[in-house]
Amino acid sequence: MISHGKRWTYAFRAFFSLIVHGRIADDIIAAVQPTAATAPAAAPSVAVPAAESSDRAVQILALLQRDGRLIDFLMEDLSTYADAQIGQAVRDVHAGCRESLGRYVTLAPVMAEEEGRQTTIASGSDPARIKVVGNVGAPPIRGVLRHRGWEATRVNLPPLPTAGRTIIAPAEVEVA
């Protein structure tokens, strides 16, 4: 076990090493990594969810920007444009984003019923899949389907880049 004072020393060195060099010094990593003799016994195999990261969300935004210019459209002040100009821009953005989304994600409705029709929600339904609004009583609940919902049945994103993971679209500089 590493002494308390040594841990403080490593913590400060690691902190400043990350700030100055962008990485932790090899001797610190070697000192704090458990060896085979001190490594804890392997725990039973349990599915552990992946650590949350915004990298994939930024990647999807970057793909929608690249293929449909979605971020440019959303960040634009539309008050100075005529409705016809906005309509044409929306068609272009829609086509590019729809194509990009279809390339990387397969979507399916959460409920197969037609919107506007009566439907019954059974007891024990997953609240993440079905949102019940209005005068909610005890299940089974009968109501009108207002939105079928969407779920991703396939997500096949390209590999993440090693650098620039927070960049949605790089700045472009034209050199004359």
Side-chain angles (χ1 to χ4, degrees):
M1 181 167 176
I2 302 172
S3 72
H4 187 71
K6 194 69 140 173
R7 284 184 282 175
W8 274 102
T9 302
Y10 285 155
F12 279 108
R13 282 189 55 217
F15 174 75
F16 288 106
S17 179
L18 279 171
I19 295 210
V20 174
H21 303 291
R23 64 180 205 80
I24 298 175
D26 293 334
D27 66 312
I28 297 174
I29 293 172
V32 297
Q33 273 185 332
T35 61
T38 61
S45 177
V46 177
V48 178
E52 281 194 38
S53 170
S54 62
D55 293 351
R56 289 297 187 176
V58 171
Q59 182 185 27
I60 288 174
L61 287 174
L63 292 169
L64 294 174
Q65 169 63 20
R66 182 193 71 194
D67 298 340
R69 308 293 282 192
L70 177 66
I71 304 303
D72 290 343
F73 178 76
L74 294 175
M75 298 307 293
E76 183 75 23
D77 177 15
L78 300 179
S79 64
T80 62
Y81 296 101
D83 289 347
Q85 289 175 303
I86 295 171
Q88 182 56 44
V90 168
R91 288 185 194 283
D92 295 340
V93 171
H94 178 267
C97 289
R98 182 181 176 116
E99 181 182 333
S100 183
L101 191 60
R103 186 178 313 130
Y104 300 109
V105 180
T106 301
L107 297 172
V110 172
M111 294 184 69
E113 292 89 346
E114 189 177 327
E115 290 179 357
R117 300 278 179 139
Q118 285 285 327
T119 188
T120 302
I121 309 302
S123 174
S125 295
D126 183 357
R129 293 180 60 79
I130 301 172
K131 177 181 174 182
V132 181
V133 294
N135 190 10
V136 180
I141 300 168
R142 188 149 171 79
V144 176
L145 180 61
R146 294 296 177 205
H147 188 274
R148 299 185 323 161
W150 294 107
E151 73 176 312
T153 59
R154 176 195 62 89
V155 177
N156 188 20
L157 295 171
L160 282 168
T162 56
R165 290 186 175 193
T166 60
I167 302 301
I168 294 171
E172 295 177 14
V173 177
E174 182 177 341
V175 179

